[in-house]
Amino acid sequence: MIYRFRVILDNDTDDDVFRDLEIRETDTMEDLHNIITQSFGFDGMEMASFYISDDEWNQGEEIAMFDMSEAGNEVKMMSTTIIKDVVHEASPKLIYVYDFLSMWTFFVELAEIVDEASGTDYPNLMFVHGQIPDQAPEKLFEAESDDDFNEFQDGLDVDDYSDLDFDEHWN
């Protein structure tokens, strides 16, 4: 079977930049990495990783290009992970990050699964829309809101020293 993916650049402009790709379900995640880098004009020489994603595009388990994990923290590798073992109709979304210094980030979504067409070479770049910018879009890394947290809501009066039992806890 052939997997058709739409790979969308995560940017904050009005210009959509995406590629539609076809690849065999039995190819590796490294093969998918290669067609993505080629279709967007990258040389493919930078570090990259895929992340399994949920419906809200939350980053999950990593599928890395190289194993840089500590002992005991095994990471799936692109070269040995088959696409159909990671992506399927029940889990169709991935996040792809290329060049960790620039943080090119892409949303990769399985659009459909079709029969292989005779006479077509795979992987196949089906459609190109938009030009990739000269520099990666800037990423904002923000923590979730802590509006409900107040470090001074512990019931202690910071100006009342009588409750501190200084003599009792003195070494």
Side-chain angles (χ1 to χ4, degrees):
M1 299 303 289
I2 300 300
Y3 279 20
R4 289 186 176 160
F5 288 99
R6 174 156 287 174
V7 182
I8 305 167
L9 174 64
D10 178 19
N11 64 15
D12 54 359
T13 67
D14 293 333
D15 300 329
D16 291 333
V17 178
F18 65 88
R19 308 291 185 259
D20 290 343
L21 314 169
E22 291 180 314
I23 192 166
R24 287 183 179 92
E25 68 179 353
T26 55
D27 286 344
T28 65
M29 296 299 291
E30 185 174 33
D31 296 324
L32 182 58
H33 153 77
N34 289 334
I35 183 87
I36 291 172
T37 57
Q38 291 168 8
S39 69
F40 282 97
F42 297 124
D43 62 12
M45 302 304 293
E46 303 296 332
M47 292 289 293
S49 284
F50 286 97
Y51 298 90
I52 297 172
S53 177
D54 62 14
D55 287 336
E56 283 82 42
W57 295 105
N58 293 310
Q59 182 176 313
E61 181 182 7
E62 180 181 15
I63 303 166
M65 182 179 269
F66 300 106
D67 187 2
M68 300 185 64
S69 63
E70 300 287 325
N73 293 335
E74 299 302 318
V75 174
K76 288 184 180 179
M77 303 301 302
M78 284 187 204
S79 61
T80 57
T81 304
I82 305 300
I83 294 172
K84 70 177 181 178
D85 293 340
V86 175
V87 181
H88 40 80
E89 290 169 335
S91 178
K93 295 182 179 184
L94 299 167
I95 296 171
Y96 173 70
V97 178
Y98 177 78
D99 186 355
F100 289 106
L101 296 178
S102 298
M103 294 296 290
W104 290 98
T105 305
F106 300 87
F107 299 117
V108 181
E109 186 166 13
L110 177 64
E112 64 181 333
I113 301 171
V114 297
D115 290 326
E116 188 169 332
S118 62
T120 302
D121 291 329
Y122 297 102
N124 178 36
L125 175 59
M126 296 173 46
F127 185 74
V128 173
H129 180 81
Q131 294 296 319
I132 194 145
D134 293 334
Q135 293 182 339
E138 195 169 317
K139 298 284 177 247
L140 296 175
F141 296 99
E142 297 177 356
E144 291 182 8
S145 174
D146 287 340
D147 291 340
D148 295 336
F149 177 74
N150 184 341
E151 63 182 312
F152 299 109
Q153 287 183 339
D154 56 7
L156 292 177
D157 181 1
V158 293
D159 294 322
D160 183 10
Y161 299 113
S162 64
D163 289 342
L164 295 180
D165 296 326
F166 180 79
D167 293 330
E168 189 174 308
H169 297 289
W170 182 254
N171 291 335

